[in-house]
Amino acid sequence: MNSHSRGIERSKSGQTIVNSPNSLRSRLDKLQWTRDQFLARQKQLRHNLEEINSFLGIADQVTEALDQLSQKLFERVLGILQSNLSIALQEVLEQPIEFKAEASFRRGTACVDFMVARDGNLEDIRLGQGGSVQNVLSVGLRLFALASLEQDEHRRFLVLDEQDCWLRPELVPKLVNIVHRAAKELDFQVIMISHHDIALFEEYADRIYRFEPADGAVNVELVRNQPLDVDSESER
């Protein structure tokens, strides 16, 4: 055995193991490759850490900017809501009143107070006009809330149960007209339940049913079935 052409290692038992230089070179190459991989990984991790630290350095500024943007967007939405519901109140109730929505942010949460303004004076919406203000506003707020939901997860369908209960009969068609227009624009299907005379709904309702109790049951009569026009069909 030529000891000059072989590498020498010592085993755990103390025996001498002789390896060829080629074997030692291959092992050295593998160790160097492993070292290079670890160094490259270390460099990448250091780069990632620097990026994370830079993001953390501006995190507070980004959060503040997003909060300001969210607040501005929220206030813009409230402005649109105020304008549209004010028009609805004036159109239905035939009075110069305005809907007011005042937003405040407490502990990062948006809070909204709803009121109506008449001659510069603010009134509680729960007390105004004996409930007729609530009749109009609740319809608008429900439509607004449902319209903001994802269409893939929520069907655009709304049931209004006696939403006209506090309105004088001559004002009911005005509310029905607003509901009809909003439903067309938002592509909503709306069912209104009312104790008022059917004639008040004839101009704006696509279909009218009469429900009458009879011997422990309820009779359902289709009073009017107006076919949808071409534009309505295409929208649906």
Side-chain angles (χ1 to χ4, degrees):
M1 181 179 298
N2 187 348
S3 61
H4 297 289
S5 61
R6 298 177 182 274
I8 299 176
E9 294 182 357
R10 189 171 297 280
S11 66
K12 293 181 180 180
S13 61
Q15 295 179 342
T16 301
I17 301 175
V18 180
N19 296 319
S20 68
N22 291 336
S23 175
L24 292 174
R25 170 57 64 185
S26 176
R27 182 176 180 185
L28 179 61
D29 291 342
K30 290 180 179 178
L31 290 173
Q32 289 178 335
W33 180 86
T34 302
R35 181 203 61 184
D36 292 342
Q37 293 297 310
F38 277 118
L39 289 175
R41 178 61 176 164
Q42 182 186 41
K43 183 178 180 180
Q44 182 63 44
L45 290 174
R46 186 180 291 112
H47 176 71
N48 293 345
L49 182 59
E50 291 174 354
E51 285 190 339
I52 292 173
N53 286 333
S54 66
F55 288 142
L56 290 176
I58 62 172
D60 292 340
Q61 299 176 18
V62 172
T63 300
E64 183 179 355
L66 289 175
D67 288 343
Q68 292 178 358
L69 182 61
S70 297
Q71 182 172 343
K72 289 181 179 179
L73 179 60
F74 184 68
E75 291 174 349
R76 179 183 176 186
V77 171
L78 282 184
I80 295 173
L81 193 63
Q82 283 186 137
S83 176
N84 290 335
L85 289 184
S86 292
I87 293 173
L89 284 172
Q90 294 165 13
E91 185 174 328
V92 174
L93 301 180
E94 300 178 337
Q95 297 179 24
I97 58 178
E98 296 181 350
F99 174 68
K100 296 294 183 181
E102 295 186 356
S104 59
F105 292 83
R106 306 162 192 167
R107 298 180 180 179
T109 302
C111 302
V112 184
D113 295 321
F114 296 137
M115 295 163 287
V116 291
R118 189 194 310 271
D119 298 327
N121 299 316
L122 296 178
E123 300 178 3
D124 191 326
I125 61 173
R126 295 169 298 179
L127 305 177
Q129 296 296 112
S132 59
V133 170
Q134 293 184 62
N135 283 154
V136 179
L137 293 181
S138 62
V139 172
L141 291 173
R142 290 178 190 180
L143 286 169
F144 177 80
L146 291 175
S148 64
L149 299 177
E150 292 292 336
Q151 295 190 45
D152 294 339
E153 300 178 6
H154 302 273
R155 182 179 178 185
R156 289 182 169 250
F157 180 84
L158 177 63
V159 177
L160 300 175
D161 187 6
E162 297 187 58
Q163 203 64 49
D164 54 2
C165 60
W166 295 106
L167 291 178
R168 301 195 308 272
E170 64 270 20
L171 300 180
V172 172
K174 296 180 179 294
L175 177 64
V176 179
N177 181 27
I178 288 178
V179 173
H180 177 80
R181 282 156 38 197
K184 296 292 185 182
E185 183 176 347
L186 299 173
D187 194 24
F188 264 88
Q189 182 179 4
V190 180
I191 293 179
M192 291 191 67
I193 301 171
S194 175
H195 288 288
H196 282 291
D197 193 289
I198 287 177
L200 300 176
F201 298 85
E202 289 182 345
E203 186 175 353
Y204 303 109
D206 296 326
R207 296 174 181 84
I208 299 177
Y209 295 86
R210 178 187 287 115
F211 292 79
E212 293 184 344
D215 299 327
V218 176
N219 292 331
V220 180
E221 176 188 0
L222 177 60
V223 177
R224 181 165 174 269
N225 184 9
Q226 174 183 322
L228 296 174
D229 54 35
V230 176
D231 291 338
S232 297
E233 288 287 359
S234 62
E235 289 175 3
R236 292 180 180 273

